[in-house]
Structure formats: structure tokens, C-alpha cells
Amino acid sequence: MPDFQLMRRKLQTAGMTHAIFLSLPVTLFAIFYVYPIISTFNLSLHSWDGFSPTPKYVGLRNYVVLLHQSRFYHAVLNNISWLVFLLLGPTSLGLLLATLLDRGMKGEAVFRVVFFLPFTIPAVAVAAIWRWMYEPTGGLLTTILQSVELGGLAQNWLGDPSIVNFALMGSMLWWTTGFAFLVFFAGLRNIPVEYIEAARIEGATPWQVFWKVSFPLLWPSTIVVLGMAAVDAMRLFDIVWAMTNGGPAYASEVLATQMYDTAFGRFEMGRASAISVYLLVIAGLIIMPYIHQLAKRVQDAEAE
Amino acid sequence: MNTAVARRTALPFSILVAAAVIFAAPLVVALLTSLKSPSEITRVIALPNELYFQNYAVAYDRMGRSFLNSIAITVPSVIFSLLVGAISGYPLAYMRGAGGRAVYFFLLTGMLVPFQIVQIPLFFLIRSIGLYDSIPGMWLVHTAYSVPFCTFFMRNFFASVPRSMYEAALIDGCTPAGYFWRLLLPASGSGLAALAIIQSRAIWNDLLFAITLTTSDKATPVTATIAGFAGSLQVEYGPLMAATLISLLPVMVTYLLFQKAFVRGLLGGAGK
């Protein structure tokens, strides 16, 4: 017969212990997320160069001024193109490679390492390597095009405003596909073999097996990959900053690099804060469905 | 039979080989470039005539110190962030009801926030407490901004440990804190290992906090140094590629060595 009195006392100490444990992360979160976010909102209503003793209150002027700048719209549009690209590009390439590899292919371990390795590299290293790939006269891309007699197609990859974003996306594809690949590869391994076998016995073609059986069962992996892609598209900073610094002529600028330039290059702290508030709002709108999905999963798990 | 199988896998196999060549090419070219003398550098595809290690000497001169800074920043930050993640994930995995869920989602939102929204106040905050351009300052910042992800990861990991173990320990007279330190944490090696690998990559590769919060040799990590190196007007690709390869080696080797732990941890984290 269990001692209920003792058990209840235990649960009370458990509550205390939980609260004490949680106080550390909650404090860190309050100091490093909540306080700076409120402070950024406040700063966005001021004009301040970062040095003068008192910021000047200007109301919503920073927000209004930004809405009249084509430079700002251009960055917003770039963030949206990046969002579309990151949701589709690395996700589908990663899924394709994982699916092709998921059949006891020869050299599986080697392929897995080669596809995943770029993901372990720092963004600045990716930027340095790809600036060399894209070097307009002696870089690898131009050299290869010349060696197959297509030298006329060679471009000033990072110097031409109409091409620079595609060039950046190419390097991003190389960098991040490995993550999507590995998540899908692991997800495919989790699908019970019997499901696939059963479908095959019923006479399904590999194409049907993939779309009717594997792909729906991969949904948890797909959610992870798409969620990360959306967050990355909003946070996107280091690749752009290290490869083009937003250039040429702001052509490759995204909100994060524009904000950095405005704050730490031009010392317009209020204006920069307004940019980051806009970024937060856009990110919130895009990522909210994802939070909702996560919330539902925890509730479902607790209901079981 | 065998030829039928071979025919069926021939196309996928050739696609995979082509993809692997494209994926490996940039790294191979970077390695070759780092071993070429300035006169050979423009011949991108050719092998170097003789191995030219001078590039590595130049790279080491310019970034040796920041490489050490990166180690001094990353190792303690990873340990602290794991510890905080476990401390925060434990109650959240065992608490039932709205309170725990509210704290959990409150912390989770941090995973989705673009860092630009905290960047300016963070700069002034760190400067006002005297930790600007210091290694302990970077420990603090990396630990704090790891809270959401590490909480998420450890909470999911702890939630997969059978609850009966917890209840049995309490009945046997273990306190909830004692259960965490003596039973749960030692039994969580695989989760902690996977998280350590993910965190090493995130912290070693960080650029944003590095360029915002460090400025001199005292604390600048290798990523910020390379960005400066690559941004200079006359880029010398030989030394730059050497520096780049040195900078990516620690994380890449870690992943190669602990691949299995990482995949297992990812499955645990992603499948929940």
C-alpha cells in the first residue's frame, strides 16, 4: 500500500525544485531576450547616434521614413525570395538525395559524409570558398565554362546586381542541403520496412510507393526541415555579409545586413531598431503557424 | 536477377555520384589552392607543381591567436549551455499542466526570433557590464542565446526517459534534485553528446555575436578574423584558403568522429 501522505509531500518538494531549476533559464531569457526586445521597441521611437547622452524622441518617424525608401523594400523582397528559395531548394534536393540513397546503395557511408560535410563549415568559410569559386576571371565556375567552350556564359557572378542573388543562393544550397538530407535520411530509416513491402506486393511502382507511403510518413522530418528553413530565411545574415556585404549597390541586401549597416556603419540606432522591429513582425507572421504546430504536438503527446 | 537490380540502381547511382562530385569540388579546390604558390593560383583545376606550405605559415601568423580565442570561447560555452539546457529541460519534461507548458513556449519563441531585434541593446548591455571584447562575455552571450534550443532538445530527450523511473526513485526516498544529478544526468550521455556536437558547431561558427561584441586580438574568434581577411581589397586566395581550411577543421573532425551520436540525437530530437 503506497504512502499517499509521503507521496504528496514529495510532489510538493518536486514543485519547489522545478521552480528553482527553472529560475536560471527564465532569468537568462528575461535579461537577454525580453529586456533587449523591449529596449529595441523603445529605441525605434527615438533618433540616436549611440554616443550622445540622450536619444531624441521622434515617435513613429523611423517607421514612416523606412516605408518611403526603395532600399528598404528591396531588402524585404530579398528576404521573401530567400524564404521561397530556402523552403524549396535545399529541402527538395535533400529529399531527392536521401531517397536515392535509401536503398542499400554501394558506398552509402561515403555519400552520406560528402553530402553532409558542407553543413559543418562556418558561414565565413563558405563565403571565402565561394568567393574563390565565383572569381570572375580565374574562379572554378568560369574556368569550367571556358574549358567546355561556353566561356561566353561566364559572368561577374558576385558583381552583377541581376545575378548576385542567384550566386549567393547557389552557395547556400551547397551549405545547407546536407542538413535537410540528413534529417530526411534518418526519417526514411524510421519508416517500417513492412509498409514499403506491403505497397510493393500490392503492385505499386517505386514512384507511387514514394508519394503514397514514404512521403506522408516523413511529415515529422519535413516539418523540422521547413521550420528551420523559414527561421534561417529571416535570420539570414552571415553568408550575405561575408560574401558581398549586401552589394553591389545594395542588390543582395537583406533586412539583417541592412540593419547592421544602419546601426554599426551609420550609427543610426533608432532607424536600425525600426528595421529590426519590421523584421520581427514579418518573421512572426511567417513562423507563427510553425509554433502552433509545435504546440499541438506537445498537447497531443500529453493527451496520450 | 543481379543485372536487373544493377540496371534499376544504375541511374540513381550515377545521379548520386554526380552530386557527390559537385558537393566535394569546392572543398577539393580550396585544398589545392591552399597548397599553390601565387604564380600557380590562377590555374584552378591543375594540381600544384610542388606543395607550397608558405600559405599556411602566413595564415597562422594572421589568425593563430583568434584560433585560440575560438577554442577558449567554444569549449566552456558548450559546457555551460548543456548544463543550462538540462537544468531547464528537466522540470519542463516532468511538469504537467498549463504552467509548465506556458514556460516552455515562452522559452521556445526564442528559437524563432531574429537576433537583430536584440543586437543593439545587447551591445550596450555587454559594454555597460564591462564584458565587451572579452572571452567571458562571449561565454555569457552564447550560453544565454542557447537557452531556447538546448531547453527544447533536452526536454524532448528527458521526455523519452520512462516516467516510471522518476516515480520509483521518489518512492525510494530520492529527492527530485537528487534524481536529476545522480540518476537522470548520468543516464543521458547520448542526448548530451548529440547536443554538444550541435552546440559546438553553432558556437564555433558564429559570426554575428563575434563582430558585434569583440574587436581586438583579446577575444576575436576565428570567424570574425577570416571575414576581415576576406574583406580586404587585395584578397590573396592562397593564404585565405589555408586560413579557411584551418578554421573549419575542428567542427568537421568532431562531426566525422561522432556522426553516430549526432544522427541518434537528431532522430530523438526530431521524432518527438
Side-chain angles (χ1 to χ4, degrees), chain A residues 132-211:
Chain A
W132 178 221
M133 298 293 108
Y134 286 139
E135 224 281 314
T137 49
L140 181 68
L141 208 54
T142 300
T143 308
I144 288 177
L145 285 174
Q146 279 165 353
S147 70
V148 292
E149 305 287 317
L150 286 171
L153 289 180
Q155 304 286 343
N156 186 1
W157 308 104
L158 294 175
D160 184 333
S162 59
I163 295 177
V164 62
N165 282 313
F166 298 107
L168 288 174
M169 285 173 186
S171 57
M172 194 73 172
L173 188 65
W174 181 74
W175 188 34
T176 57
T177 295
F179 175 74
F181 160 78
L182 203 68
V183 174
F184 283 127
F185 188 74
L188 284 168
R189 282 293 148 92
N190 271 2
I191 295 176
V193 188
E194 300 85 58
Y195 291 12
I196 313 275
E197 286 301 315
R200 255 189 220 142
I201 290 167
E202 303 266 317
T205 63
W207 183 253
Q208 287 170 325
V209 171
F210 176 76
W211 287 111

Side-chain angles (χ1 to χ4, degrees), chain A residues 18-295:
Chain A
H18 290 162
I20 293 169
F21 272 45
L22 277 180
S23 62
L24 175 63
V26 169
T27 307
L28 283 174
F29 193 86
I31 298 175
F32 286 93
Y33 282 93
V34 180
Y35 158 72
I37 290 176
I38 294 171
S39 174
T40 296
F41 271 104
N42 180 41
L43 202 51
S44 73
L45 303 174
H46 292 79
S47 169
W48 189 41
D49 59 9
F51 305 104
S52 58
T54 43
K56 190 171 138 247
Y57 180 79
V58 294
L60 292 174
R61 205 178 72 198
N62 286 322
Y63 291 95
V64 177
V65 169
L66 282 171
L67 288 182
H68 288 95
Q69 283 183 350
S70 58
R71 183 183 170 193
F72 175 72
Y73 281 109
H74 189 72
V76 173
L77 278 182
N78 275 347
N79 270 100
I80 293 174
S81 331
W82 274 102
L83 175 70
V84 174
F85 167 75
L86 286 176
L87 288 177
L88 296 178
T91 313
S92 37
L93 183 57
L95 180 59
L96 174 74
L97 295 175
T99 313
L100 290 179
L101 198 53
D102 182 48
R103 28 169 106 195
M105 195 66 82
K106 245 182 312 176
E108 181 200 293
V110 178
F111 284 123
R112 214 175 52 203
V113 168
V114 170
F115 295 149
F116 185 69
L117 270 193
F119 183 69
T120 65
I121 298 176
V124 284
V126 175
I129 292 172
W130 280 86
R131 279 175 56 150
W132 178 221
M133 298 293 108
Y134 286 139
E135 224 281 314
T137 49
L140 181 68
L141 208 54
T142 300
T143 308
I144 288 177
L145 285 174
Q146 279 165 353
S147 70
V148 292
E149 305 287 317
L150 286 171
L153 289 180
Q155 304 286 343
N156 186 1
W157 308 104
L158 294 175
D160 184 333
S162 59
I163 295 177
V164 62
N165 282 313
F166 298 107
L168 288 174
M169 285 173 186
S171 57
M172 194 73 172
L173 188 65
W174 181 74
W175 188 34
T176 57
T177 295
F179 175 74
F181 160 78
L182 203 68
V183 174
F184 283 127
F185 188 74
L188 284 168
R189 282 293 148 92
N190 271 2
I191 295 176
V193 188
E194 300 85 58
Y195 291 12
I196 313 275
E197 286 301 315
R200 255 189 220 142
I201 290 167
E202 303 266 317
T205 63
W207 183 253
Q208 287 170 325
V209 171
F210 176 76
W211 287 111
K212 297 266 162 69
V213 182
S214 308
F215 188 67
L217 289 172
L218 274 179
W219 190 236
S221 314
T222 315
I223 282 286
V224 170
V225 172
L226 292 179
M228 296 295 293
V231 173
D232 284 349
M234 294 298 115
R235 277 188 180 168
L236 188 70
F237 173 79
D238 21 20
I239 279 279
V240 176
W241 192 82
M243 253 171 111
T244 64
N245 208 349
Y250 308 138
S252 61
E253 202 170 56
V254 287
L255 286 173
T257 56
Q258 185 174 112
M259 182 267 172
Y260 187 86
D261 177 52
T262 309
F264 299 99
R266 294 156 189 263
F267 303 103
E268 296 178 24
M269 299 296 170
R271 184 74 48 82
S273 299
I275 296 175
S276 60
V277 171
Y278 274 127
L279 178 60
L280 182 71
V281 171
I282 299 172
L285 288 177
I286 289 166
I287 294 162
M288 209 54 94
Y290 186 65
I291 302 187
H292 183 73
Q293 179 83 20
L294 284 181

